Amino acid sequence: MFDALEVFTTVSIGLMVGVELSVAFVMNRIFHALPDDANQQAHSHGGRMLGAAMPVWYISSVVLVAIWAVAGWGDAGTGLVVTSGALLIVSVIMSLALLVPINNRGKTWTPENRPADWKQQMQRWESYHYGRVAVIVAAFAVLVASLV
């Protein structure tokens, strides 16, 4: 049962990292190649769609890692699992403090009501997102290292 928890948690977090890497390095580049109205609408739609899914994924990841840490307490890799969990908590705090406020504004924008500085706000979101991606990649790497 513990092995299944390790596999499920690792795959779940790995997929989350993959989605966030895709947003950072694929989707945003595609959006930027579009005309302004389509770019902004794509960002708004992405904000609504991923804004609904990702909080559940992030919190579930923290919970799964916490269960893993408790269930495996005393094992050789527990310190790394706890470190991974701490990094995931940092990513949740970053999300709530930095990214969610911008996303909540952006997901309501249309070409008719978007603010004049919408591109600057999206650039700020992307900068914060790169930082968050770095944190969750580190969390994933540390979690995988706990398996060896």
Side-chain angles (χ1 to χ4, degrees), residues 62-74:
V62 170
V63 170
L64 286 168
V65 169
I67 293 168
W68 179 344
V70 169
W73 197 255

Side-chain angles (χ1 to χ4, degrees), residues 19-98:
V19 167
E20 294 292 33
L21 282 167
S22 175
V23 168
F25 298 107
V26 178
M27 298 309 299
N28 284 337
R29 293 176 196 253
I30 291 169
F31 295 169
H32 291 304
L34 299 171
D36 281 353
D37 286 355
N39 175 357
Q40 178 267 302
Q41 290 172 320
H43 274 100
S44 293
H45 182 66
R48 287 187 298 275
M49 191 178 84
L50 292 173
M54 297 314 287
V56 174
W57 210 341
Y58 273 79
I59 297 302
S60 297
S61 295
V62 170
V63 170
L64 286 168
V65 169
I67 293 168
W68 179 344
V70 169
W73 197 255
D75 290 351
T78 303
L80 293 173
V81 174
V82 170
T83 300
S84 176
L87 288 167
L88 289 171
I89 290 169
V90 167
S91 76
V92 169
I93 293 168
M94 290 174 71
S95 296
L96 293 172
L98 303 172

Side-chain angles (χ1 to χ4, degrees), residues 82-135:
V82 170
T83 300
S84 176
L87 288 167
L88 289 171
I89 290 169
V90 167
S91 76
V92 169
I93 293 168
M94 290 174 71
S95 296
L96 293 172
L98 303 172
L99 291 111
V100 168
I102 298 169
N103 189 63
N104 283 344
R105 288 189 304 272
K107 67 185 182 181
T108 65
W109 295 339
T110 66
E112 294 77 32
N113 75 358
R114 66 183 179 224
D117 71 338
W118 72 274
K119 284 185 181 180
Q120 291 80 13
Q121 290 189 53
M122 288 293 94
Q123 288 171 346
R124 190 168 47 253
W125 184 93
E126 289 174 20
S127 295
Y128 295 149
H129 182 66
Y130 289 134
R132 178 176 61 183
V133 167
V135 171

